Amino acid sequence: MDQIDTLDIKARREAAQIFRNFLNGKITNDDFENQMPTTHDRAIDAIWDTAWLFYDDFKTHHLKGRYAMPSDQKRACIRWILFLHSSLEYKWPDLYLPGWDPSLRIKKSFWQRIFSLDALPTDKAKAFLCSGHYAVWPFISVIDYKSALSNPTLLSGRSRPLP
């Protein structure tokens, strides 16, 4: 049974800024982990959960130099920030590391062996992927994604009032 999202606009804005600071190398991975907003908003949990894949949690570092994020991953993270600035519900089913393509996790990969992660059962991966258009995760649909792109809050010179 899927959880119902508890939309927390204030926590999402805070999370978006923290995530931006992390991506831009302004804060360390430790700061990022420690600053996660306390909330029941599933989108924040899903994004923080997946962001763990992008840094070394054994060393304190910024996402610069050898720890710099590849541009394709950074583009995906920018989409996640766009979602955090939306007022859309997070409609995906619960899944560990949801931003790591489930179709790539059916067979145990090198990274899964390194991190002692089990392969994802095929039926669970399929159910997750059938829930929406995965290419625009954490958005559930291309329509929602395009709507958020056409109505940005960060570049428009306006922001929505906090509740």
Side-chain angles (χ1 to χ4, degrees), residues 55 76 86 95 122 151:
Y55 59 88
S86 78
L95 184 74
T122 304
N151 190 21

Side-chain angles (χ1 to χ4, degrees), residues 19-162:
F19 199 30
R20 285 178 67 196
N21 289 341
F22 181 53
L23 291 177
N24 292 328
K26 293 180 181 177
I27 63 173
T28 68
N29 57 319
D30 290 341
D31 295 331
F32 175 74
E33 284 183 359
N34 295 330
Q35 292 178 20
M36 179 183 173
T38 302
T39 183
H40 294 287
D41 192 313
R42 293 177 55 245
I44 295 170
D45 290 340
I47 289 169
W48 246 254
D49 187 31
T50 303
W52 169 74
L53 295 170
F54 302 133
Y55 59 88
D56 180 345
D57 57 359
F58 292 111
K59 296 178 184 171
T60 300
H61 62 87
H62 293 85
L63 289 181
K64 294 180 178 181
R66 70 181 262 203
Y67 295 106
M69 185 180 291
S71 59
D72 60 328
Q73 289 177 344
K74 198 165 194 174
R75 276 192 302 279
C77 290
I78 291 167
R79 186 179 63 247
W80 304 355
I81 291 170
L82 181 65
F83 185 84
L84 290 171
H85 277 281
S86 78
S87 57
L88 296 168
E89 282 184 53
Y90 180 75
K91 296 181 179 177
W92 291 91
D94 288 334
L95 184 74
Y96 181 61
L97 304 171
W100 181 8
D101 187 341
S103 65
L104 301 176
R105 296 165 48 197
I106 293 169
K107 293 183 181 174
K108 200 162 186 173
S109 70
F110 168 76
W111 292 110
Q112 286 167 298
R113 286 189 293 275
I114 292 292
F115 296 119
S116 299
L117 300 172
D118 292 330
L120 191 60
T122 304
D123 58 337
K124 190 166 186 169
K126 195 176 282 190
F128 185 84
L129 292 170
C130 288
S131 297
H133 191 86
Y134 188 73
V136 295
W137 183 90
F139 293 91
I140 199 73
S141 70
V142 174
I143 292 169
D144 285 350
Y145 175 56
K146 286 184 176 181
S147 176
L149 279 175
S150 67
N151 190 21
T153 58
L154 291 176
L155 301 175
S156 65
R158 60 182 164 34
S159 63
R160 297 180 187 119
L162 290 172

Side-chain angles (χ1 to χ4, degrees), residues 2-18:
D2 298 332
Q3 300 289 322
I4 296 175
D5 192 19
T6 304
L7 187 66
D8 185 344
I9 296 295
K10 186 176 179 183
R12 281 192 183 188
R13 286 202 184 148
E14 183 183 347
Q17 186 59 52
I18 294 164

